[in-house]
Amino acid sequence: MLSRKAVASVQHVRCVRGLSSRASSILSALDIPNSCEIPGVYDGRWKGSGETLESVCPTTGEVLARVRSATPDELRETLEKSKDAHLFLRKMPAPARGEILRQIREALAAKRDSLGALVSLEMGKIKTEGVGEVQEFVDICDYAVGLSRMMNGRVVASERPGHTILEVPNPLGVVGILTAFNFPVAVYGWNFSLSFAAGNANVWKPSPSTPLCSIAVTKIIARVLESNGIPGAVSALLSGGKNVGETLVGSPDIPLVSFTGSEAVGRVVGKAVQSRFGKTILELGGNNASIVMPDADLSMAVPAVFFGAVGTAGQRCTSTRRLYLHRSIAPQFLDALQRLYVSLRIGDPLVQGTLLGPLHTRAAVGVYVEAIRQLREQGAHILTGGQKYDQAEFDQGNFVQPTIAIPKHVDPADAIWSTETFAPILNVAIFDELEQAISWNNSVPQGLSSSLWTQDLRSVGKWIGPEGSDTGIVNVNVGTSGAEIGAAFGGNKSTGWGRESGGDAWKQYVRWSACTINFSDAAPLAQGVEFSA
């Protein structure tokens, strides 16, 4: 019979996994253990005894980790701890919360390259984009530090003598943040930073396919919170699948739900939260168009469209999916764009110089293949791409060829044009007048980002005005992708009308009260109403 010590030794051996050096070096730099199962729940302590999630590298197919999700009991316990954490945080002055954010910013910056590499490893975007995503979190922390001293209400003049009216913001309570795989770090950063500055506790439910990014980020934040004596549940983590998301969305203890994902799921989330009179921030589909006028500077426009269509393998919500070219410059533009596609460097996103990594999952490859099938079936002209890479070095990964297609018909109601395909497929149409291109731009259900390339001030005026683009991001001589954190980010129509990051986005994370104060010796009614016995 084996001794207890021997049994423990055997169990320990079984709980150490063999990983490639490529993966293990990144995980160890972020204190993620190389063990059989990793706890994916945090509310001041790490735990997780629910279903197991697999993190799979989209480049090699290697299983990076198995993460234990939340059980129903663990979920309820975490929500209760988050409610208690909010009671602690709301008493802390906003500038003091800003100081905590400054420390989180420093901690994130110290791990920026390692965390960016993890984004590339687990999500699949190239390393410069992974590092850039972490930089977004760093930048929004900077923004929120300043904001913590400027989350101002208003003083409103009263019509009654000896009265004044204040509009006062106060914390909401607990904010639920449900993020998508394509930006597994930045989107939580946009929400957490503003919400924390406002005095809210936050519960993060990340995509089930990118649990390691959320664990790494939570570890960094948790260390800062712990060193300052702040409850860890102000930045709680609930890894899990559909059941965890449904519980958060349906919980009356979460007055605000921020959801980033598909239009179909966003519609369900919006209805569920509205049914209990909660608030939502929805960041959903983007089916973004670039319009290129005859006077455009093609040396700027062509590379921008190239990045917009191919960057992140077409998996940004702001990726360029529709391209409208003026007839006079279309041949020249397409010739230059195809040359860039031919020169594209494909491969491991962690290797310097790679410009195209894999799609995130096998299912995404299936979506790409189906979209190409529909294009061919409807008679589209495929200029380049249109299939998976068949070289041996790409066999284990989710690599597909970026595609430029000219559909046979330009009908915005057709699924080819009206559906967001989360893959590097760019559909092209030719126009003669700007008004025609604007009409095409506006005739799809989504309304996230759009771009006009021109040097004509009259075209600019029309484009950004009431007769112009109806999207939430309306750019001129800038591509559809790559927004900065200083302005509010979000879209209109079926994109969900949500706004995150800069601008006035912070105002969604507070509850507003109109407070009328009477400092006179009389109590008159408004509007001159008389009501005396």
Side-chain angles (χ1 to χ4, degrees), residues 469-485:
S469 175
D470 64 1
T471 62
I473 299 170
V474 181
N475 291 336
V476 176
N477 296 330
V478 175
T480 63
S481 199
E484 299 179 31
I485 61 98

Side-chain angles (χ1 to χ4, degrees), residues 379-394:
H381 180 203
I382 307 294
L383 296 182
T384 186
Q387 58 189 13
K388 296 184 289 184
Y389 284 103
D390 54 11
Q391 293 94 323
E393 64 263 36
F394 302 133

Side-chain angles (χ1 to χ4, degrees), residues 185-234:
V185 171
V187 173
Y188 183 66
W190 295 346
N191 284 275
F192 166 78
S193 299
L194 300 191
S195 180
F196 183 90
N200 301 309
N202 304 275
V203 179
W204 183 9
K205 192 275 180 193
S207 167
S209 62
T210 53
L212 296 182
C213 287
S214 59
I215 289 170
V217 168
T218 300
K219 282 178 175 285
I220 291 169
I221 294 173
R223 282 192 285 268
V224 173
L225 297 176
E226 183 179 346
S227 68
N228 286 275
I230 297 172
V234 300

